[in-house]
Every structure is written in structure tokens, then in C-alpha cells.
Amino acid sequence: MKIYCMSDIHGCYSALCDALELVIDHLDEPDTKLIFLGDYIHGGEDNIAVLKKIMGLQNIYGHRKVVALLGNHEEMVMSGFSSVNEMLGSGEYDDSDDSYRYWFERLPRYHVEGNTIFVHAGIDEDSGNAWEYCTEDYIFTEQYPHRLGKIHGLDKKVVAGHVHTNTISGDRR
């Protein structure tokens, strides 16, 4: 299985399109998936275009081939803390967000493929094989600080977004 992952797009539509150019032709191949790890909105100026693109890819290829996971920024919209286009919302209800809110509510918090767990932020690493039942919802989408330790008793690896690559690598470049 060949799996491509993208995370933390944050409304940057042109960057998303550039990244998709590298993988889109492969989605027609068998045993290939694209997994989005959350945080599609807030930061760039094209939040709606990003959402429409990802939803469109799911409509073309199916939800099993193009998997979209929930991130903490989508949760902010679901909770009424923000709107799709505004990170710190005014608290006013924006009915133009309804179709996106409906989509957000149906996004899974994690996806397991073989021996790999895909998630926006993390899992309860102290739970070993019971991670799926012991991880609280907020850890899947908001875990901070990040954790990179070995997960004792778990024969799986974790692929997560949420944290800047330079933080994980320890290299500011």
C-alpha cells in the first residue's frame, strides 16, 4: 500500500494544489491512498476552496481512497468558537458554514491502515494496545506538547500532523 499524507493546510489553497500535483495521478493506481490529517482551515485566505477541493476528491475517489481526519481547527467550528473563515469568531452564527460543519461532524479522529495509526495530533501513548479506547478525544486533535517516544506494548507507528516539522526534527531549517 502506498499512502500519501498531507496535514495542516490551514487555508493555503495554492500550496495544497502544488502538493496534489505530486500525488493526484497516483490515486488511480490500486493500493494507493491519500490521507489528510486535519486543520484544513484558518491561516491562509482560501479556506472554502481548500474544503471544496478535499470534499471534491472524496466525491471522485471515495472516502476509502481519500481519507480526511478531524483537526482541532475543524473542532473550533463545530463548537461555535470560530467560523470556517475566522479563527477567533465573533460568536455570531454563520449559516454559510452549515454544509462544512456537517462534513466536519462526520470526520473520523483517526484512521488505522496496517500497522500505522494516522491522526491529527496524537494518541495516548501510555495505553499501549488499549490506545483506541483510552485516548480521550482532545488528544487525537489537540495533544500538546507533542510526544515522540516509543509506545510500549504497541506494534504500530503513529503518523501525525499538528506540530511543525522543525519541532519534530530539532532543526529550524
Side-chain angles (χ1 to χ4, degrees), residues 122-128 130-131 134-136 139-140 143 147 151:
I123 65 167
D124 183 341
E125 296 181 9
D126 297 326
S127 297
W131 69 270
C134 294
T135 301
E136 295 184 51
I139 292 176
F140 289 123
Q143 177 172 284
R147 295 183 63 189
I151 305 170

Side-chain angles (χ1 to χ4, degrees), residues 42 47 76-77 81-91 97:
H42 302 152
N47 299 298
M76 288 182 207
V77 173
F81 184 69
S82 68
S83 71
V84 167
N85 281 314
E86 193 176 355
M87 185 169 159
L88 297 174
S90 61
D97 289 348

